[in-house]
Amino acid sequence: MARQGLSRALVTAAWLAEAVRAGRVGAGLRVLDASWYPPKERNARQEFKERHIPGASFFDIEECRDKSSPYDFMLPSESQFADYVGGLGVSNDTHVVVYDGDEVGTFYAPRAWWMFRAFGHKEVSVLNGGFKNWVKEGHPVTAEVTQPTPAVFKARLNKALVKTFEEMVQNVSSLKFQVVDSRPEGRFRGTELDQGLESGHIPGAVNIPFHSFLSETGHEKSIEEIQEIFRQKKVDLSKPLTATCRKGVTACQIALAAFLCGKRDVAVYDGSWSEWFHRAPPHYKVSEAKRNKA
């Protein structure tokens, strides 16, 4: 079987299908379904129970988060993350492959990928094209539930990959790092509501909607295409870069895209617009809608 380096950010459906067929899913290779959907639209856990990649476990982003935070999906503590993924059979020596079932191809999986990296785990990959293309290509699915043997995972947060509200505020004036916002253009500009919140963006941020990096089939675009997207937006991958979005999820698509281009140190503003909207002073929330009203 062709071997893909464990530091590779992406694995193909063909590679994972061969690993499943060869019985390699286990202590050395764990497959995690990191799907999440708005409750009124789809039920991720129920869909997982009905069909998933053989040997996969469900990575519940609702559980693996800081539940004391008023903001969605903030990182849990080191011990909480270690206990949670250890319960899924993941050790520090495990190659983890994450995927989700979103119709765009990949939506929440990069968040799980980034979480593992933030807690010091390098051997983590995203299934290119997601579950949608896994099924489309005719690879096996099952409703059989796997009970992985618990493992010991030691987590150490890499603070360089996470930006706080205070760091983002300081950067408005210091401009120590570039900021890329992955939300749709209307939400970035402030011309449409952002899931109930007034929208807009952090001063100085550049907008690259996350779907820009995905092909029509839901696979990641080529490295050359991704590099050109960054170039067109005048984002310099040789300089510090932080990604933001609505709640720290699609920002991880920016981190993944940059990683594929060789830039492995993109930070994510974990609180993103959810936190910025509630905590930043009014003049730090750039919105065309507000300007038009003035």
Side-chain angles (χ1 to χ4, degrees):
M1 180 178 69
R3 178 179 174 83
Q4 291 188 316
L6 293 181
S7 63
R8 290 279 303 267
L10 295 176
V11 295
T12 65
W15 180 90
L16 184 57
E18 174 61 15
V20 170
R21 187 198 65 77
R24 290 186 55 230
V25 177
L29 174 65
R30 293 293 182 196
V31 183
L32 304 179
D33 182 336
S35 301
W36 186 90
Y37 312 110
K40 293 182 180 180
E41 295 180 12
R42 296 170 65 179
N43 186 321
R45 184 175 284 278
Q46 183 59 38
E47 289 187 23
F48 174 82
K49 290 179 179 179
E50 293 170 359
R51 63 174 190 168
H52 53 263
I53 295 174
S57 297
F58 188 69
F59 182 92
D60 193 340
I61 202 165
E62 291 272 9
E63 288 296 319
C64 192
R65 64 184 176 92
D66 178 3
K67 295 181 181 179
S68 68
S69 172
Y71 310 112
D72 297 332
F73 307 136
M74 297 287 277
L75 281 176
S77 68
E78 291 174 335
S79 61
Q80 288 171 329
F81 185 81
D83 289 346
Y84 184 78
V85 302
L88 297 177
V90 176
S91 75
N92 296 89
D93 297 321
T94 304
H95 180 193
V96 178
V97 175
V98 293
Y99 73 91
D100 65 68
D102 199 276
E103 284 303 308
V104 301
T106 300
F107 200 109
Y108 271 79
R111 171 69 185 186
W113 169 83
W114 173 77
M115 289 174 72
F116 272 100
R117 292 195 63 247
F119 284 110
H121 196 65
K122 296 180 179 179
E123 297 177 1
V124 57
S125 310
V126 173
L127 175 62
N128 197 9
F131 190 62
K132 162 187 170 180
N133 282 289
W134 174 273
V135 173
K136 185 177 180 180
E137 293 175 24
H139 298 301
V141 297
T142 184
E144 183 178 343
V145 177
T146 301
Q147 297 292 346
T149 302
V152 175
F153 185 92
K154 295 181 180 179
R156 177 172 293 181
L157 181 63
N158 180 356
K159 293 183 180 179
L161 295 182
V162 188
K163 291 298 182 188
T164 64
F165 173 77
E166 290 75 18
E167 289 172 309
M168 297 301 290
V169 169
Q170 292 171 2
N171 190 67
V172 172
S173 57
S174 69
L175 301 177
K176 288 184 177 179
F177 51 84
Q178 305 164 97
V179 178
V180 174
D181 191 317
S182 65
R183 290 173 300 154
E185 183 182 4
R187 295 180 182 181
F188 176 83
R189 293 170 56 192
T191 56
E192 63 181 58
L193 285 177
D194 193 345
Q195 300 175 42
L197 292 182
E198 291 181 20
S199 58
H201 61 268
I202 297 168
V206 173
N207 185 214
I208 307 181
F210 79 91
H211 55 75
S212 303
F213 299 109
L214 298 175
S215 68
E216 291 183 1
T217 62
H219 295 86
E220 289 288 327
K221 289 182 177 178
S222 70
I223 292 174
E224 293 74 22
E225 288 174 305
I226 292 172
Q227 289 173 330
E228 181 59 24
I229 291 169
F230 282 122
R231 274 196 295 268
Q232 288 179 355
K233 291 291 186 173
K234 296 181 171 56
V235 175
D236 189 343
L237 293 181
S238 70
K239 296 180 179 179
L241 174 61
T242 293
T244 184
C245 56
R246 166 67 165 79
K247 50 190 176 183
V249 175
T250 61
C252 299
Q253 303 259 9
I254 304 292
L256 175 62
F259 189 99
L260 295 173
C261 298
K263 185 171 182 59
R264 303 189 173 198
D265 60 354
V266 173
V268 169
Y269 172 29
D270 205 22
S272 284
W273 187 252
S274 296
E275 182 178 40
W276 193 260
F277 174 80
H278 288 101
R279 296 186 64 187
H283 62 286
Y284 275 9
K285 290 179 273 192
V286 182
S287 169
E288 289 185 18
K290 285 184 178 180
R291 284 204 298 266
N292 292 337
K293 290 178 182 178

